[in-house]
Amino acid sequence: MDDLRQKYIDAVANAADEAALEDIRVQAVGKKGEVALKMRELGKMTPEERQVAGPKLNALKDEINSAISAKKSALADAALDERLRTEWLDVTLPGRPQRQGSIHPISQVTEEISAIFGDMGFAVAEGPQVESDWYNFDALNIPAEHPTRTEMDTFYMTMPEGDNRPPHVLRTHTSPVQIRAMMDQGAPIRVIAPGRVYRADYDQTHTPMFHQVEGLAIDKDISMANLKWVLEEFCRAFFEIDGIELRFRASHFPFTEPSAEVDIRCSWEGGTLKLGEGDDWMEILGSGMVHPHVLKSAGVDPDEWQGFAFGMGIDRLAMLKYGIPDLRAFFDSDLRWLRHYGFAALDVPTMRGGLSR
């Protein structure tokens, strides 16, 4: 038995890899190994002989298994040492730079607008982008024969056969949000409604989807003077120009009476647009006093309440403030374009996002 022990202990010590160790294990302590065969012979021995041979065989089996486990660990450590010797990594090198995202100009401008009007007491209201034509047109005093209600200007939703609901459209402005806000909250109320809107209009200066922000203030003593002050304060804060000057021109919108287009003083020196100076004017938004029909549609008594409303394109404001010359750049540009105009990743999450007009 001593010869058997020495044979396999030496074989384990000289094994070059785990495959050789497995062969030794099978030959020594496998079901048909030499130690297993010796243990089968115990049945032919006398009780006295078994008492002597049995413990020796079990001890031999355990010693061989222990030697195999120790050799396996030694081989693994040697393999690791070899990898560490041949594979080298400089842990002092800087890490690979991570690509940094940027906030889109439309998203940032929307947040800027919301913050400015928030300081003036306006809450942000939201509504669905698919509207019934009652919210989008009728409630806003837009008659059935108005050209904006044709399929040439408005995207109508396909209604399945048997669907008796009123026609639905992709909203053409965020004015329906004003109706919903008045119906939900009543008067007095002061809200802005930023969001995506849609029109069947596509050329160099228009896109089928763009962004608007509309404002509404309803109270008992609101006048055009309040409207003028709010818009002037907004333009001063947004364009960061103290000497901003606005001009109100009489106009017509179905949902306001009286109505006014609002222009901003500017100049075009050397082909460069400068706001707040010069002899030229640029139209930037529409406004007016809310039409009594609109108040009635929203469940507000026009004999007791009155107010103003205004609307402007967020995409246009972004182009004016940041000097972005081409509307199409909002759609097909990459991070290099965003960085060129100074739009980097924000330190705080944004409230809402979007693309452009």
Side-chain angles (χ1 to χ4, degrees):
M1 194 170 297
D2 290 338
D3 294 340
L4 192 62
R5 173 187 174 281
Q6 193 63 44
K7 171 184 175 182
Y8 285 111
I9 292 300
D10 291 343
V12 169
N14 296 324
D17 51 39
E18 291 191 14
L21 279 177
E22 179 63 16
D23 290 340
I24 294 170
R25 187 195 68 80
V26 171
Q27 294 172 19
V29 296
K31 291 183 178 181
K32 296 182 180 180
E34 288 191 64
V35 176
L37 293 176
K38 289 286 185 183
M39 295 186 75
R40 291 178 188 175
E41 295 177 0
L42 292 175
K44 301 177 182 178
M45 299 180 182
T46 64
E48 293 77 12
E49 291 174 332
R50 284 199 296 272
Q51 288 179 354
V52 176
K56 289 185 177 181
L57 287 172
N58 284 327
L60 176 60
K61 180 179 179 182
D62 291 340
E63 186 176 1
I64 293 173
N65 283 329
S66 296
I68 291 173
S69 295
K71 184 64 175 181
K72 186 177 293 186
S73 297
L75 289 173
D77 291 341
L80 178 60
D81 290 340
E82 179 64 19
R83 285 187 60 192
L84 293 175
R85 187 180 65 80
T86 58
E87 297 180 9
W88 181 79
L89 175 66
D90 186 354
V91 295
T92 66
L93 288 174
R96 293 185 178 90
Q98 298 293 320
R99 297 185 63 183
Q100 188 178 42
S102 298
I103 183 173
H104 195 277
I106 300 303
S107 301
Q108 178 162 316
V109 169
T110 301
E111 300 236 352
E112 293 174 3
I113 292 170
S114 300
I116 293 169
F117 281 112
D119 288 341
M120 290 190 280
F122 286 79
V124 175
E126 297 181 333
Q129 296 181 44
V130 177
E131 281 284 13
S132 72
D133 64 349
W134 185 86
Y135 281 104
N136 198 77
F137 296 121
D138 296 327
L140 294 165
N141 199 36
I142 299 176
E145 66 275 8
H146 197 279
T148 60
R149 301 186 70 153
T150 67
E151 293 185 358
M152 292 292 292
D153 290 326
T154 299
F155 293 105
Y156 280 84
M157 308 301 292
T158 299
M159 306 294 285
E161 187 175 351
D163 190 337
N164 297 320
R165 291 179 300 168
H168 280 64
V169 300
L170 292 179
R171 66 183 183 189
T172 59
H173 42 195
T174 56
S175 298
V177 180
Q178 299 180 17
I179 300 295
R180 291 180 177 273
M182 285 189 285
M183 294 177 71
D184 291 341
Q185 303 175 34
I189 189 172
R190 199 182 306 180
V191 296
I192 61 168
R196 295 182 180 91
V197 296
Y198 307 84
R199 296 179 189 174
D201 192 4
Y202 186 76
D203 56 33
Q204 189 175 1
T205 58
H206 298 83
T207 55
M209 184 276 291
F210 55 103
H211 297 81
Q212 278 189 341
V213 57
E214 301 197 9
L216 173 73
I218 303 295
D219 214 317
K220 293 187 176 181
D221 298 316
I222 287 183
S223 67
M224 286 287 289
N226 301 121
L227 169 64
K228 184 174 184 291
W229 179 86
V230 166
L231 294 179
E232 287 177 344
E233 288 298 306
F234 166 74
C235 289
R236 287 192 187 99
F238 180 76
F239 292 112
E240 302 177 52
I241 301 174
D242 291 334
I244 208 79
E245 186 176 349
L246 301 182
R247 180 179 70 177
F248 287 70
R249 289 182 292 107
S251 185
H252 169 72
F253 304 112
F255 28 80
T256 53
E257 179 60 38
S259 303
E261 299 275 7
V262 181
D263 305 330
I264 189 169
R265 184 180 288 278
C266 65
S267 68
W268 290 94
E269 296 180 4
T272 300
L273 174 65
K274 294 183 178 180
L275 300 177
E277 60 182 62
D279 298 324
D280 294 324
W281 296 90
M282 174 183 291
E283 182 269 322
I284 58 170
L285 62 94
S287 64
M289 299 298 290
V290 180
H291 197 287
H293 177 85
V294 176
L295 294 175
K296 287 181 181 179
S297 298
V300 175
D301 185 358
D303 294 328
E304 182 180 1
W305 304 94
Q306 61 189 32
F308 62 75
F310 57 85
M312 60 189 94
I314 297 176
D315 313 62
R316 176 178 293 183
L317 291 176
M319 295 176 71
L320 289 176
K321 180 170 182 176
Y322 294 103
I324 300 171
D326 194 328
L327 174 68
R328 294 166 294 186
F330 285 127
F331 290 94
D332 55 12
S333 298
D334 57 20
L335 292 179
R336 291 171 296 179
W337 174 81
L338 291 172
R339 287 193 290 268
H340 174 75
Y341 287 101
F343 292 91
L346 289 186
D347 294 329
V348 294
T350 60
M351 292 185 292
R352 56 182 60 79
L355 284 174
S356 50
R357 182 179 174 94

